[in-house]
């Protein structure tokens, strides 16, 4: 399934969603579903033992409040929070292996990080592991839907790897636009400020991640955002981008080129 998305739309797009609960535990989940519906300004529809497609009716999809997580259903696709690559990266770090992002950011225990582009929070979770209990990671996400799904996932997702769970629980997600947030933040507030904007490539196939692409904002930081980030950073501003574009150079970063992914660094 391909879903058309207007480039300028950052959140619920042209899709009409409803919020509902899973079939089981409907009564105990109703209060949470109503709260989510209010926060996201998406109508709440009672499940009443009906199939999901009956509940969705003529809408485009549903945000389903389940026990311990929220899932998003559009057509045949479903998405819910999962730490994805963050688990593998944390396992590698615990074995003493290197992580390129952690190295480029120069993270050590106690550091404070502002991740301006939370997305699914994989990078934020890895940064949280690297800075440990004495550090902090604040992650900003402009899409209210993604930030809701991810912040509930970070606080409830269970995994046998305790280092991963601890790192997830410590990440604080804010539904905010980094342009506004940076302008309201005092000078030298975070050791590292990080950006990972969407790559420009169009996705043609349907996967769980495509659903994220529909709700994520495709915008990239402007020169003025990078100037603000430099003011807010104590040590370094880092931006990740595909190696096939020229955005990093244009924004004034020193480029550490990789085969597919490059990092831009500005030391403050
Ligand atoms: C490529 S994703 C980030 C992926 C993330 N680093 C991870 O590890 O999952 C970029 C995210 O930044 C968000 N975003 C774009 N512009 C933003 C802005 N102005 N303020 C906050 N978030 C923004 C998008 O909605 C998207 O979810």
């Amino acid at each position: 399934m391909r879903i058309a998305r207007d480039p300028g739309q950052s959140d619920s797009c042209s899709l009409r969603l409803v919020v509902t609960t899973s079939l089981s535990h409907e009564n105990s989940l109703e209060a949470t579903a109503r709260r989510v519906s209010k926060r996201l300004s998406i109508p709440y529809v009672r499940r009443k033992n009906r199939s999901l497609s009956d509940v969705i009716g003529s809408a485009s999809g549903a945000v389903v409040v389940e026990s311990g997580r929220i899932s998003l259903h559009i057509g045949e696709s479903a998405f819910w929070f999962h730490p994805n690559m963050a688990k593998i990266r944390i396992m590698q770090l615990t074995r003493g292996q290197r992580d390129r992002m952690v190295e480029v950011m120069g993270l050590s225990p106690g550091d404070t990080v502002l991740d301006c582009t939370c997305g699914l929070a994989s990078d934020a979770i890895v940064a949280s592991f690297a800075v440990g209990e004495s550090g902090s990671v604040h992650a900003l996400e402009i899409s209210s839907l993604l930030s809701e799904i991810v912040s509930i996932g970070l606080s409830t997702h269970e995994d046998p790897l305790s280092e991963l769970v601890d790192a997830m629980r410590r990440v604080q997600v804010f539904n905010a636009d980094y342009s506004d947030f940076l302008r309201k933040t005092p000078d030298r507030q975070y050791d590292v400020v990080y950006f990972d904007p969407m790559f420009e490539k169009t996705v043609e196939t349907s996967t769980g991640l495509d659903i994220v692409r529909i709700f994520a904002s495709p915008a990239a930081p402007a020169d003025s955002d990078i100037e603000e980030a430099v003011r807010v950073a104590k040590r370094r501003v880092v931006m990740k981008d595909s190696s096939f574009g020229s955005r990093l150079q244009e924004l004034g970063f020193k480029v550490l080129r990789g085969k597919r992914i490059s990092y831009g660094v500005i030391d403050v």
Side-chain angles (χ1 to χ4, degrees), residues 215-234:
F215 292 94
S217 163
D223 286 327
S224 55
D225 297 317
I226 303 300
E227 276 165 29
E228 287 296 306
V230 167
R231 181 184 62 72
V232 163
K234 242 185 270 178

Side-chain angles (χ1 to χ4, degrees), residues 116-123 140-142 146 176-178 196-198 216-217 219:
C116 288
T117 47
C118 176
L120 300 182
S122 288
D123 290 336
L140 312 179
E141 174 52 56
I142 198 167
L146 283 183
D177 178 338
Y178 55 69
D196 173 19
M198 304 292 286
S217 163

